[in-house]
Amino acid sequence: MPYPMEGLPKQVTIYEVGPRDGLQNEQAIVPVEVKAEFIDRLADAGHKVIEATSFVHPKWVPQLADADDLLTRLHRRPGVRYPVLVPNVRGLDRALALGVDEIAIFASATETFAAKNLNRSLESQFDMFEPVVARALDHGIRARAYVSMCFGDPWEGPTPIRQVVTVGERLLGLGCYELSLGDTIGVGTPGHVTALIGAFRTPDRLAVHFHDTYGQALGNTLAALRAGVTTVDASTGGIGGCPYAESATGNLATEDLVWMLRGLGIETGLDLGKLVATSTWLAELLGRPSPSRVVQALSKGSSPDSRLEIE
């Protein structure tokens, strides 16, 4: 039975990143047919936004070297969006050739991470993104922007809020429809989340992307919802991390997020039972249990109400 709280949205969009951000850090290459089935299972569970893959150079992220093959195999369902990450114009060209209609770019809020992840300075990263977004918009393709290290950087320490806002608003100014604020190493806390979102002029164009390194992801999400955010990035089963930041552990698990939102009476359109079944299936293929607490509880039936909760 839900117990709503005042000041929260009635509906939340879950931007599913499992197939891209979730799998990118896996050492063993996942077969492309498994990835295609994973995405199809996510759509069957009710997801309306599934980030399918990334057009990065295979040298940097070998797991996603099959992006072209994956998109040709994809069974696209009406009403479901399948955005892809593109790092530069070359990546955009590959996406355009395959009929992609939504992309995402990946920026940094700190100097050091921009150098390590993008081989650019904090300022020169915009020289790379501007032509990508402009060309995408010319082709009628929507563009989303991620910003990493919004709360802290393992090399520089806490990230100044004004610095994050400056980077983020420049990305929105390029024409990106949405800005996802990433807690890449999971050091954010609810008060910090509230302060950062409050510093933006357009919180309605923000999304959040939390990692659960210190167990703060759900608390931070609740703070973001109270601050006006209605789109939350999550990864089925809690898989994922960042290959360029060793301290970045798993993403917020989609199932854990859905459990909390259901308890608050917030609609997501997702079938929790199908999500748990998908995570259990994927965990068996990856050879390790899902880090999601909800998946662990419901897949083993340890919750006395598990049969009721997944129906």
Side-chain angles (χ1 to χ4, degrees):
M1 178 176 178
Y3 293 88
M5 297 172 63
E6 292 185 4
L8 296 178
K10 296 184 182 298
Q11 186 171 0
V12 164
T13 298
I14 297 181
Y15 189 103
E16 174 63 44
V17 299
R20 196 275 302 173
D21 194 24
L23 293 180
Q24 71 176 4
N25 216 30
E26 291 295 320
Q27 296 301 309
I29 300 299
V30 177
V32 66
E33 59 270 16
V34 171
K35 294 174 183 175
E37 182 177 350
F38 181 29
I39 293 171
D40 200 52
R41 282 172 173 258
L42 294 173
D44 187 57
H47 274 294
K48 298 302 181 185
V49 191
I50 306 168
E51 192 168 73
T53 187
S54 173
F55 286 98
V56 296
H57 195 286
K59 175 183 177 182
W60 303 117
V61 186
Q63 184 65 251
L64 304 180
D66 56 7
D68 299 72
D69 189 8
L70 174 62
L71 289 184
T72 59
R73 292 171 179 257
L74 211 55
H75 171 58
R76 296 175 180 270
R77 301 193 184 205
V80 180
R81 294 156 46 201
Y82 300 90
V84 300
L85 188 72
V86 299
N88 48 39
V89 172
R90 292 190 301 277
L92 177 61
D93 286 340
R94 291 173 60 194
L96 289 172
L98 289 162
V100 167
D101 55 17
E102 184 173 339
I103 65 163
I105 58 174
F106 202 89
S108 173
T110 67
E111 194 74 59
T112 305
F113 194 64
K116 290 180 176 292
N117 189 38
L118 303 170
N119 198 29
R120 297 275 180 148
S121 67
L122 192 62
E123 177 62 30
S124 67
Q125 66 179 333
F126 295 100
D127 297 334
M128 179 169 63
F129 298 137
E130 185 173 3
V132 173
V133 176
R135 188 170 179 192
L137 295 178
D138 285 344
H139 283 80
I141 294 175
R142 301 205 313 163
R144 184 189 209 231
Y146 288 98
V147 184
S148 293
M149 303 296 176
C150 289
F151 296 87
D153 178 300
W155 303 279
E156 298 183 17
T159 308
I161 285 178
R162 178 44 50 189
Q163 187 168 304
V164 178
V165 173
T166 298
V167 171
E169 291 191 339
R170 285 186 67 178
L171 291 166
L172 289 172
L174 294 179
C176 295
Y177 76 89
E178 185 173 76
L179 179 73
S180 178
L181 303 174
D183 186 8
T184 314
I185 58 174
V187 295
T189 52
H192 193 169
V193 172
T194 302
L196 178 58
I197 293 171
F200 278 88
R201 291 175 291 184
T202 54
D204 58 311
R205 295 177 66 186
L206 302 179
V208 287
H209 186 116
F210 294 122
H211 286 214
D212 207 30
T213 313
Y214 296 93
Q216 302 297 296
L218 283 175
N220 288 342
T221 298
L222 186 58
L225 298 180
R226 285 187 173 278
V229 171
T230 59
T231 298
V232 181
D233 298 358
S235 174
T236 294
I239 60 173
C242 176
Y244 300 101
E246 292 182 1
S247 52
T249 56
N251 290 289
L252 168 62
T254 304
E255 296 87 352
D256 296 1
L257 175 60
V258 170
W259 181 278
M260 182 183 78
L261 295 178
R262 284 179 58 178
L264 292 166
I266 297 174
E267 180 61 43
T268 64
L270 297 179
D271 184 317
L272 184 56
K274 289 183 177 180
L275 291 174
V276 170
T278 296
S279 287
T280 303
W281 164 81
L282 184 62
E284 291 174 355
L285 292 172
L286 296 179
R288 64 174 184 279
S290 166
S292 164
R293 298 294 183 87
V294 169
V295 172
Q296 291 174 22
L298 296 185
S299 63
K300 296 177 182 178
S302 61
S303 167
D305 297 321
S306 60
R307 287 177 297 174
L308 297 175
E309 292 295 347
I310 65 175
E311 288 178 355

